[in-house]
Amino acid sequence: IAIGIIIVVLYVLFPVGMGIAAIIPAQSAVGNPPAGFEEITLITDDGIQLEGWYSPPQSGIAIILLHGSGGSRESVRSYIEILTSNGYGVLALDQRGHGESGGKTGRLGWEGTSDVGAAVAFLEDQPEVKHIGGLGISMGGEVLLGAASSYPQIEKIVADGATRRSLNELLALESERPLVRNYTARVMFATVQVIGGIKPPSPLLESIKQAENTRFLFIA
């Protein structure tokens, strides 16, 4: 009985619980914007309202700055300081389901390409912006990499701590292909699809390969 309970917990309850946790919104209050920033609101192509901060560039280069899973633009203030001190403009967004943005899901970044699209459209409308780059932390990096093929306007992307956000991305690693290695992930991602009602995006590697003119920096 004890062994049976352990098996159920490890191979059913644990991965299902992880999947449920992945679709629980991480919305939270955000403080006042940093000096020189204004608060902005963007609407994605699927109707989600995103909240963010924006500061125009001194160099003509604006950076889309995306936080990690469960975070918000509040958690990337140190990155904002680094970028603005070097003359970059910054658009720091709360991704859907995070911070003060709308949306019911988002901890895996599966629908994040639409968020990136709204950011690109906003920056293209700013006359002071001549070039667009992206800096993503963890899930934010994954979202930017996944959007690279859809938005070649993002000329350079820095992904800090990106890993994988779907089963296809996990299976890109040969070491993860045996079932004993990926079973838990399979159950977790299936739970997200069934309960969240959303589908996983195209694999990151596929997007990166298609973004032939984009330059990438990966920080492990």
Side-chain angles (χ1 to χ4, degrees):
I1 293 174
I3 293 174
I5 291 174
I6 291 172
I7 291 173
V8 170
V9 169
L10 286 180
Y11 293 102
V12 180
L13 298 183
F14 176 65
V16 168
M18 290 174 61
I20 293 173
I23 59 176
I24 296 175
Q27 288 157 326
S28 60
V30 173
N32 294 326
F37 279 75
E38 62 175 316
E39 295 191 6
I40 63 165
T41 298
L42 307 180
I43 304 296
T44 66
D45 56 10
D46 57 347
I48 302 298
Q49 181 172 305
L50 305 178
E51 303 298 331
W53 294 326
Y54 175 66
S55 176
Q58 301 173 24
S59 60
I61 305 170
I63 306 298
I64 300 170
L65 178 58
L66 299 183
H67 58 79
S69 180
S72 70
R73 62 193 191 274
E74 185 69 41
S75 61
V76 293
R77 285 183 181 266
S78 59
Y79 292 87
I80 288 174
E81 184 177 344
I82 292 170
L83 292 170
T84 54
S85 66
N86 284 280
Y88 294 102
V90 176
L91 172 56
L93 281 182
D94 288 345
Q95 298 180 72
R96 64 180 62 209
H98 290 75
E100 296 179 333
S101 290
K104 295 181 180 179
T105 60
R107 289 180 184 250
L108 292 178
W110 281 10
E111 300 171 297
T113 295
S114 292
D115 298 356
V116 174
V120 169
F122 172 83
L123 292 176
E124 287 186 316
D125 284 341
Q126 310 309 308
E128 67 274 10
V129 175
K130 309 303 180 185
H131 302 279
I132 300 175
L135 168 57
I137 314 305
S138 189
M139 181 194 76
E142 295 156 16
V143 167
L144 285 169
L145 295 175
S149 58
S150 298
Y151 298 101
Q153 300 96 315
I154 307 176
E155 300 171 29
K156 300 178 183 181
I157 293 174
V158 176
D160 185 348
T163 56
R164 80 291 185 279
R165 56 179 181 169
S166 70
L167 183 62
N168 282 339
E169 291 168 5
L170 177 64
L171 297 182
L173 300 173
E174 187 174 350
S175 62
E176 299 297 327
R177 291 172 190 166
L179 183 61
V180 68
R181 293 280 297 175
N182 63 54
Y183 173 82
T184 299
R186 284 180 182 272
V187 176
M188 183 190 75
F189 290 131
T191 301
V192 173
Q193 287 186 255
V194 172
I195 298 180
I198 53 177
K199 296 181 179 180
S202 299
L204 294 182
L205 187 58
E206 191 175 297
S207 173
I208 293 168
K209 287 181 177 179
Q210 292 174 6
E212 296 178 354
N213 296 320
T214 304
R215 300 185 67 183
F216 300 95
L217 172 64
F218 303 98
I219 302 175

